[in-house]
Amino acid sequence: MISQSQWFLKWLLPTIASALVGGLLLGTLYWAAANADQVAAARQKDLVTLIVSKMQASVAHDQESATVWDDAVIKTKAGDLEWLGTNLGQWMNTYFGHDAAVVLSPEGLLIYQFIAVSDNAPSADDLRESYLPLARRLRGRLSAADQEGVSDTVLSIGQSDLTYVGQRPAIVSVKPITSDTGEIEQRAGEENLHVAVRFLDGDFLTEIANEYQFAEMQFTVHEPQDKSHSQIPLKSASGRLIGFFNWHPFEPGLSVFYATLPVIGLSVLSIYGAASLAGRAIWKRSVRLASSRQELQHLALHDSLTGLANRAHFERELTSRLESALPQDNLGVLFVDLDRFKAVNDTYGHPTGDKLISLVALRLVDLLPNALIGRIGGDEFTVLAESYEFQEVGILAESIVKRLREPFDIDGAHVVVGASVGAALATGGLDAVELTRRADIALYHAKAAGRNTYAIFGDHMDDLLRKRRRLEHDLRAALERRAQIEIFYQPVYPANSVLPCSLEALSRWRHPELGLIPPDVFIPLAEEIGVIHEIGALVLEDACSMLADLPSIDVAINASAVELGSPGYPLRVLSTLAKWGVEPNRLEVEITESLAVSGEEQTTRNVEMLREAGVRLAIDDFGTGHSSFSRIQNIIVDRIKIDKSFIQDIAQRRSRAVVEAIITMARAQGLDTTAEGVETDEQRDALILLGCDNLQGFLLSRPISRGQVVALFSAGIRAPETARGGIGY
C-alpha cells in the first residue's frame, strides 16, 4: 500500500497533472491561434476590397492631373501625337503605372493610343471592346450636361468599371478632356475623351503582395477550391463576376502556436518535475503571447520608423473624434511638411534622412505631448489638436515652425531644414475629408509664401488657389510673347575699387496688372510648371549680348537645379556664347550650395562639361546649405559668394568668425570670394579687413537696367541707385 501511494505520488499524480495542464494549455493556445487567424483573415479581405476600390478611384483621379488642362484640350484637338505621347501616354505609364491610354474624338474615332510593352499586352481590338461601352455612356452624360459626382476633389464626371481587356482583368476609366481655367469653351458632348487602363494582374498583384505582405497572391477566373486560401470576388458595376483575388492568409496565431510548442514541452516536463514551477511557466507564456499580440496591434497602427500614428490610424481617430465632438468642442488639424528634406537625403544619404525624421518626431512629441501626432508620408506629419481657439492654433503652428527650424546634430553633421505648416479648424460640422483638405490647402499656401512658415485655412484660400492658376497662365503667356520679363544687372566691385569688375544678371517680371513680381515668387512657379528653361534662356541671351557689347566686363547668371540637371543645358550655354562671339571664361554660372554637392549624375556631368569649355562656376548663397567645409573643399568651382545673412550680422562675433573661416578656406583653395548684401560702411570695412575679394550690395549699387550699365561703363563712375533691387535669378 505504501509503495502504491509512493508510486502514485511520485509518478501517477505528476503525470496526470502535467497531462491535464499540458492538454489544457495546448487546447487554449490552439483556440486562441485559430481565433486570431480568423480575425487576421477577415481584416485582409477588407483590406484587399478597400485597395481595389481606392485603386479604381485613384485611376480616375490620376487622369484629372492631365485631362483637366487647357494644354490638353488644345493639343488633342490639334492631334499633336508627340505631345499626347509625352503627357497622356508615356507620362501616365511612368508616373502612375497606367498600362494603356487612349484619346478619342467626339465621334469616337481614335486620336492616340498607347499600350505599355509587355509579354501579354492586349490588342487594339481588345482594348477598344473594353472601353467603348463606357465611352458611350459618358458621351451621353456629357451631352445631357450631367454633373453628378463632381466636387472640390472630383473635377469632372467620368465612367469607370472593372472589366476584361482581352483575357486580363483591368480597371478601365474614361474622362473628358476639359479646360482647367474655363477659358476654352466646348459644346456639351463634343469633348475629346481620355481612357486609362490599369491591369489587376501582373505588376498590380506584385505591388499589393510586396507592400501589404500577402503570400501567394494571384488572380483566378474561377472560385478557388483550396480552403486554405482566402479570396474575394471582383465584380463589375453591373454585378458581372470578373474573377477572384486569392492568397494564403496571414496566420499569426498558428505561427505563434508552432513557435511555442517546444517551450510548452519543456513546461510540461517542468510541471512533471515540480508542480510549483508549472504555474510560473504558464504565466510567462501567457504574458509573452499577450505582448506579441499588443506588438502586432501597435505595428498595424503606428509608423515603424518614428512610432507615431500612421495614416490609417490618424484618419480613423480623426473621424471618430469629429463624430463624437460636441458643438462647443474645438478640433484642429495641422499638416507639417519639412523644407529641404530632399537636399538632406541627396547630401548625406537616406540613413541620415531617417535619423532626421526620427528626431523631428521626437521634437513634435516633446512640443505636443498630449496631441495625436501621425506620420503620413516621407517627410509629412499631421497633428490633431483639441480645445484650441483660432489664435491658439496660430501660436501652436508658429511654435512648430520655430522648433523645427533649430539645427539638428546628426553624426557630427549640422543639419538645418525648417518646416511649413498648414492648419484648419473643424467649424460648422466638417467631416474628416473636408478638414484634411483644408489643412492641405493651407499647407500649400504656407509653401507658396516662401516656406518655413505657417498658414491657417480661410475662405480666401480657395480664391488664392484660383489666382495661383491664373498666375501660371499669365507667366506662360508672357514667355510665349517674350514680353514682360526684364533683365537687370547688379554690379560687383573689387573690395578696394569704385569701378565694377563684373555684373550679375537678374530677372524681373513686370506684370501688366500686378506690377513688378519678385523672382522668389515667379521662379519657383516657373520650375513647378516647367517653363524655367525659357526664363533661363532669356537671361542667358541678354547676358551674352551684354558681354558682346562690353568686352571689358564679365557677367554671372544663376542656374536653377532644374536647368543644371537638364542634359541640354551645357549645349545651350556654349551655343549662345558662340552666337555672340564671347569667350566662355567671361561667363560665370552661379549654383546653390546644396546643388553643388548633390552628387546627381547629370548635374555633375553638366558642371564638368561647362568647366572643360572654360565657363567659370560659383557657389551662390554659401553657408545656407547643408554642407560641411570638408565637403565643399572637394567641389571644383572658381568663386564662393558668402550669403547676405552672415554679412548682415558680421558685427556679431559668431557671424564674423564664420565669414572669416569661409574666406580663409577659399583662399587656401585658390578661390575668389564675393560678399552679398553689403548695405553699410561698417560691413564693407569689416569685409576688407578680413580679406574678401569682391563686394556686392545696395551700399555699392542696386540692380540697374541695361542702358544704365552702358552709361556706367561709358562714364566710369559709381552705379546709380535708381532701379529697385532684390534677390535675383
Side-chain angles (χ1 to χ4, degrees), residues 10 41 52 180 313 315 425 521 560 617 651 696:
K10 291 182 64 175
V52 174
D180 61 329
H313 182 39
E315 291 177 351
L425 290 173
V521 172
S560 73
L617 282 96
Q696 180 181 2

Side-chain angles (χ1 to χ4, degrees), residues 490 504 506-508 518-520 620-621 644 698 703 725-729:
Q490 186 170 28
E504 180 182 359
L506 309 171
S507 61
R508 299 290 185 269
D520 56 352
D620 195 16
D621 301 330
K644 66 178 182 181
F698 289 179
I727 298 173
Y729 171 70

Side-chain angles (χ1 to χ4, degrees), residues 197-410:
V197 176
R198 179 70 191 270
F199 291 119
L200 295 176
D201 56 6
D203 291 342
F204 178 77
L205 288 180
T206 302
E207 291 173 8
I208 293 178
N210 292 338
E211 184 172 356
Y212 298 99
Q213 301 297 307
F214 285 91
E216 303 175 17
M217 189 79 171
Q218 60 182 334
F219 171 83
T220 56
V221 177
H222 303 290
E223 182 176 2
Q225 300 301 314
D226 185 0
K227 300 303 181 182
S228 65
H229 278 62
S230 294
Q231 66 271 334
I232 64 164
L234 300 176
K235 295 183 178 181
S236 66
S238 63
R240 174 195 173 195
L241 182 63
I242 303 299
F244 297 83
F245 278 158
N246 66 88
W247 64 94
H248 191 281
F250 177 46
E251 297 177 327
L254 285 179
S255 298
V256 173
F257 177 78
Y258 289 127
T260 56
L261 279 179
V263 179
I264 294 174
L266 291 176
S267 300
V268 172
L269 291 177
S270 299
I271 293 171
Y272 184 81
S276 61
L277 297 178
R280 183 181 301 178
I282 294 173
W283 177 79
K284 286 183 178 180
R285 300 306 173 268
S286 299
V287 170
R288 186 172 300 174
L289 182 61
S291 176
S292 298
R293 187 178 295 111
Q294 291 175 357
E295 183 178 357
L296 289 173
Q297 184 178 8
H298 180 84
L299 291 175
L301 299 176
H302 294 80
D303 173 55
S304 59
L305 178 61
T306 63
L308 301 176
N310 58 22
R311 181 189 294 271
H313 182 39
F314 186 88
E315 291 177 351
R316 186 159 51 247
E317 278 293 312
L318 176 60
T319 300
S320 175
R321 297 189 192 186
L322 284 173
E323 291 175 349
S324 60
L326 298 175
Q328 65 270 22
D329 293 339
N330 292 324
L331 293 176
V333 169
L334 293 86
F335 276 21
V336 182
D337 187 83
L338 299 185
D339 298 331
R340 300 182 297 276
F341 177 71
K342 183 180 183 300
V344 175
N345 270 340
D346 292 342
T347 303
Y348 298 107
H350 290 284
T352 299
D354 289 344
K355 291 180 182 178
L356 175 62
I357 290 295
S358 298
L359 291 175
V360 169
L362 290 176
R363 286 192 183 181
L364 290 175
V365 172
D366 181 62
L367 186 64
L368 305 163
N370 299 319
L372 175 63
I373 305 174
R375 181 189 178 211
I376 61 172
D379 60 344
E380 298 175 326
F381 299 84
T382 52
V383 178
L384 175 57
E386 299 181 271
S387 302
Y388 280 90
E389 299 294 339
F390 186 89
Q391 296 83 354
E392 294 174 325
V393 169
I395 296 173
L396 176 61
E398 185 177 13
S399 65
I400 293 174
V401 172
K402 182 178 179 181
R403 188 75 174 90
L404 297 184
R405 189 188 302 143
E406 298 173 3
F408 294 85
D409 188 1
I410 304 177

